[in-house]
Amino acid sequence: MLGNFTYCNPTKLYFGKDALNGLNEELPKYGKNVLLVYGGGSIKKNGIYDKVIAILKANGKNVFEDGGVMPNPTNVKLNEGIERARAAKADLILAVGGGSVCDYAKAVSVSVNCKDDAWDKYFIRFEDVTCDIIPVGCVLTMVGTGSEMNGGSVITNHEQKLKIGHVFGDNVFPKFSVLNPEFTFTLPKYQMIAGIYDIMSHILEQYFSGTDDNTSDYISEGLLRSLIHSANVAVENPTDYEARSNIMWTATWALNTLVAKGKTTDWMVHMLGQAVGAYTDATHGMTLSAVSIPYYKYILPYGTTKFARFAVNVWGINPAGKTEKQTAYEGLDAMEKWMKKIGLVMNITELGATKEMLDGMVKSTLVYGGGYKVFDEKDIRAVLKASF
Amino acid sequence: MLGNFTYCNPTKLYFGKDALNGLNEELPKYGKNVLLVYGGGSIKKNGIYDKVIAILKANGKNVFEDGGVMPNPTNVKLNEGIERARAAKADLILAVGGGSVCDYAKAVSVSVNCKDDAWDKYFIRFEDVTCDIIPVGCVLTMVGTGSEMNGGSVITNHEQKLKIGHVFGDNVFPKFSVLNPEFTFTLPKYQMIAGIYDIMSHILEQYFSGTDDNTSDYISEGLLRSLIHSANVAVENPTDYEARSNIMWTATWALNTLVAKGKTTDWMVHMLGQAVGAYTDATHGMTLSAVSIPYYKYILPYGTTKFARFAVNVWGINPAGKTEKQTAYEGLDAMEKWMKKIGLVMNITELGATKEMLDGMVKSTLVYGGGYKVFDEKDIRAVLKASF
């Protein structure tokens, strides 16, 4: 555990088949006006909307709605949400949906009482929150982003062709989140496996960095092994409660700050994937899967020891009689084989990227962190080219 | 992840060589009167006491002292602490020491505003906290109990020959804890390895239970592998910062409720160890190590599959060509060998237990939980007899 750090994660989680009842404990803590934020309306089809409304009404809340949050929420939609929250004089923003809806709710929550343009302040200038925050609660219906227990928020600006994330402090973390694995059962397989890879990518972004031997990396290996095990079960049987619940719990712990503590991190797969997302509007997890193997093969020579450890501890590669490099490559091969097996998208062409977009995507790729290699434009171009 | 559960851990942790500076962020949140709780005075020798006093004074606090908390804090001392906290009109209890000091501080914190006898209310009748709590903060100088980030408190009653733990709710968790691995460097080796085994035992108590395949067990395996690795380094070189910091961080996560989520747990090693402790006043971690191998050999037939998994995933036993039972026993053999290697006490005779105490220890052993076998008096007697 290197350096000095603090840990504080105040989000209260309600987990399990009866988790929605947690709303009855939480709602009385807040004022009357609730802004209900959701996505394209699937929650109206699967009955979750009705259940939430009933609980809100039973708790005497005035419900204001802000639906239609898109999978990659935009700065334009964000400004609309800010206006709605102001008009509602919202005391609580309740996000019902996946990571995009939670991300969006947090972005609204820190902007309602600010005069600045939210996109410029938080996603271009990366400024701290300087105004009063509207508390956020989440009811999760998709799994992957970890947004239910962190301060992260990713917003897309189509005009500027930028998709950028800001990590807010623990005062912006959701006050509570409701995690019912059954709410994820109706998700299409494409979304489920995209979420699974989003989780894996979060762990790997924090794992593939640093040379020390700290506890966070051991926890990450445990999370990865749990994820692989339960993903294999869930792909065969999407309504296997235990598998879906393990995936949901792993997602939360993959990105709630724990496994980054005391170490350096990478995040270049997200930077590359977000650039692809800004041009294609493709599903987030698939933009990550499509660039991952080219990226990891590119950086392996700079972190061979860690990649060999990954091969042995996560993929069960037997290192006997092999060089460290051989073991390391066998690990990536095992990962690639597994990714194909569960049905992930393995190239950006399939996501709608064209060669004409390459220059633009290279420009849109921010360099943030960098685990075993700090990327320059040449590196970015090489990995994106290898991802077609 | 089975059943419904909630997760909330509000403790703020300050970790690293400069962690004590965190007091300057925390102290202004509380009133003027601070009850400083500590143990036998080692903090006066190693300079930590002076540093803490300087920070308290710089923050304008009135400092009241309650030193002399013993390694197994007693109900008699607890009553004394309650009186001191009342006399001080304490706004904050600051525990500076190891787990015993933190445990004691929490027990005081929930009793100051109660009229009931604290021992009877919390440790005999296991009642909920019904009165106002004095907030607690911790500066940790020993590692093992995890008391810095949980609601646990263990108190000993010599008259009744009972050592009993109560787990309070998250409102009793320390508001903040200061974790500086360097503060543990001066600890005698006996205390260090006792703490290491206390950590291991916490993880195993939560791991050896249940037949499902949940994420908590995978996280536990990661924590165990990190602990074994860093313990091996620390035993050779007690001032290896990275090893001591990993051990400190692992201790916190071994018993802050995380790895018990969504599963059943055991806790019989603690019940047996605490009975031994009530009779011998031996160091807590050593009472656990002295009964562990007899206990696990006794229950292995009831949970062979999990013990075989433990052998492979934690101790690296190759299961090829072996029965599940053979693999399982090889795991316990590897664990026993490792325990002896790092210098743990492997029998209760060495801790001062005599055959004359056996009947009393059997009676003092509470049955709480039970992972693969719910114990009766016969089972308790058999394991304690095998532990001499």
Side-chain angles (χ1 to χ4, degrees), chain A residues 1-19 25 149 170 211-216 218-219 221-223 225-226 229-230 241-242 245-247 249-250 253 258 261 309 313, chain B residues 1-19 25 149 170 211-216 218-219 221-223 225-226 229-230 241-242 245-247 249-250 253 258 261 309 313:
Chain A
M1 309 305 293
L2 297 175
N4 292 286
F5 62 85
T6 59
Y7 177 90
C8 183
N9 196 324
T11 305
K12 178 153 191 174
L13 303 176
Y14 294 86
F15 195 97
K17 293 178 184 182
D18 302 330
E25 287 187 46
M149 204 191 192
D170 58 49
T211 54
D212 62 322
D213 203 2
N214 75 35
T215 303
S216 293
Y218 285 95
I219 298 174
E221 288 167 352
L223 290 173
R225 295 182 60 240
S226 178
H229 172 82
S230 290
Y241 180 82
E242 192 177 316
S245 68
N246 288 337
I247 293 169
W249 193 239
T250 301
W253 289 90
L258 175 65
K261 289 300 170 190
R309 173 178 164 167
N313 291 355
Chain B
M1 308 306 294
L2 297 176
N4 292 287
F5 62 85
T6 60
Y7 177 91
C8 184
N9 196 324
T11 305
K12 178 153 190 174
L13 303 176
Y14 294 86
F15 196 97
K17 294 179 182 180
D18 302 329
E25 287 187 46
M149 203 190 194
D170 58 49
T211 55
D212 63 321
D213 202 3
N214 74 35
T215 303
S216 293
Y218 285 93
I219 298 174
E221 288 168 352
L223 290 174
R225 296 181 60 240
S226 178
H229 171 82
S230 291
Y241 180 83
E242 191 177 315
S245 68
N246 288 336
I247 292 169
W249 193 240
T250 302
W253 289 90
L258 175 66
K261 289 300 169 192
R309 173 179 164 167
N313 291 354

Side-chain angles (χ1 to χ4, degrees), chain B residues 76-385:
Chain B
V76 177
K77 175 70 189 165
L78 172 57
N79 288 335
E80 189 188 305
I82 294 166
E83 287 312 317
R84 288 193 186 219
R86 283 176 184 157
K89 296 194 194 323
D91 299 305
L92 174 71
I93 302 176
L94 186 63
V96 182
S100 299
V101 175
C102 296
D103 278 17
Y104 169 85
K106 281 182 262 182
V108 172
S109 79
V110 295
S111 307
V112 173
N113 297 313
C114 269
K115 282 180 183 167
D116 292 31
D117 179 78
W119 168 260
D120 284 341
K121 180 178 172 73
Y122 298 121
F123 300 92
I124 295 293
R125 302 199 302 269
F126 289 99
E127 284 182 18
D128 288 338
V129 180
T130 48
C131 40
D132 285 347
I133 300 160
I134 313 286
V136 169
C138 296
V139 176
L140 208 63
T141 62
M142 276 173 71
V143 163
T145 71
S147 190
E148 65 275 14
M149 203 190 194
N150 67 35
S153 178
V154 180
I155 298 294
T156 298
N157 184 315
H158 284 305
E159 205 181 327
Q160 297 175 16
K161 290 282 186 206
L162 289 171
K163 177 177 174 182
I164 295 179
H166 186 135
V167 180
F168 300 109
D170 58 49
N171 52 341
V172 184
F173 285 32
K175 299 300 175 206
F176 61 88
S177 285
V178 169
L179 280 66
N180 181 342
E182 290 184 332
F183 288 178
T184 69
F185 282 2
T186 56
L187 212 62
K189 189 183 171 188
Y190 188 89
Q191 298 300 331
M192 177 181 84
I193 59 174
I196 287 168
Y197 193 75
D198 195 15
I199 304 165
M200 178 169 277
S201 183
H202 291 156
I203 306 172
L204 296 180
E205 298 271 31
Q206 298 167 91
Y207 180 77
F208 281 123
S209 186
T211 55
D212 63 321
D213 202 3
N214 74 35
T215 303
S216 293
D217 287 340
Y218 285 93
I219 298 174
S220 285
E221 288 168 352
L223 290 174
L224 286 166
R225 296 181 60 240
S226 178
L227 179 66
I228 294 162
H229 171 82
S230 291
N232 290 339
V233 175
V235 166
E236 292 297 318
N237 180 13
T239 59
D240 184 294
Y241 180 83
E242 191 177 315
R244 295 303 286 273
S245 68
N246 288 336
I247 292 169
M248 193 170 219
W249 193 240
T250 302
T252 300
W253 289 90
L255 196 60
N256 68 0
T257 79
L258 175 66
V259 297
K261 289 300 169 192
K263 70 188 301 287
T264 56
T265 55
D266 185 349
W267 294 108
M268 271 314 294
V269 166
H270 270 68
M271 296 303 110
L272 292 158
Q274 284 173 194
V276 174
Y279 275 77
T280 61
D281 215 25
T283 300
H284 176 66
M286 293 306 189
T287 65
L288 305 176
S289 73
V291 303
S292 277
I293 296 296
Y295 176 73
Y296 287 124
K297 283 190 176 162
Y298 193 85
I299 66 161
L300 183 147
Y302 306 94
T304 311
T305 303
K306 191 63 161 283
F307 279 92
R309 173 179 164 167
F310 174 64
V312 175
N313 291 354
V314 177
W315 297 101
I317 303 296
N318 183 350
K322 292 168 198 162
T323 65
E324 191 176 59
K325 199 171 148 186
Q326 282 173 323
T327 303
Y329 276 108
E330 278 194 33
L332 280 192
D333 288 344
M335 175 172 154
E336 185 173 10
K337 204 172 143 192
W338 178 81
M339 289 171 73
K340 287 177 179 166
K341 194 190 81 181
I342 70 165
L344 288 161
V345 176
M346 301 302 286
N347 63 75
I348 61 175
T349 311
E350 206 178 306
L351 299 175
T354 62
K355 294 273 154 131
E356 290 70 42
M357 295 176 185
L358 181 61
D359 286 345
M361 290 192 299
V362 171
K363 253 200 189 131
S364 288
T365 303
L366 306 183
V367 175
Y368 171 83
Y372 292 118
K373 187 173 193 337
V374 177
F375 264 35
D376 60 21
E377 202 180 296
K378 187 176 69 52
D379 300 315
I380 292 168
R381 184 175 296 274
V383 171
L384 284 175
K385 271 181 89 168

Side-chain angles (χ1 to χ4, degrees), chain A residues 51 65 71 90 92 102 135 156 158 178 232 241 265 277 289 310 325 345 379:
Chain A
K51 285 180 190 165
E65 300 206 13
L92 173 72
C102 296
T156 298
H158 284 305
V178 169
N232 290 339
Y241 180 82
T265 55
S289 72
F310 174 64
K325 198 172 148 187
V345 176
D379 300 316

Side-chain angles (χ1 to χ4, degrees), chain A residues 298-345:
Chain A
Y298 192 85
I299 66 162
L300 184 146
Y302 306 94
T304 311
T305 303
K306 191 63 161 285
F307 279 92
R309 173 178 164 167
F310 174 64
V312 174
N313 291 355
V314 176
W315 297 101
I317 303 296
N318 183 349
K322 293 167 195 161
T323 65
E324 191 175 61
K325 198 172 148 187
Q326 282 172 324
T327 303
Y329 274 108
E330 278 193 33
L332 280 192
D333 288 343
M335 175 171 153
E336 185 173 9
K337 205 173 142 193
W338 177 81
M339 290 171 73
K340 287 177 179 166
K341 194 190 80 180
I342 69 164
L344 288 160
V345 176

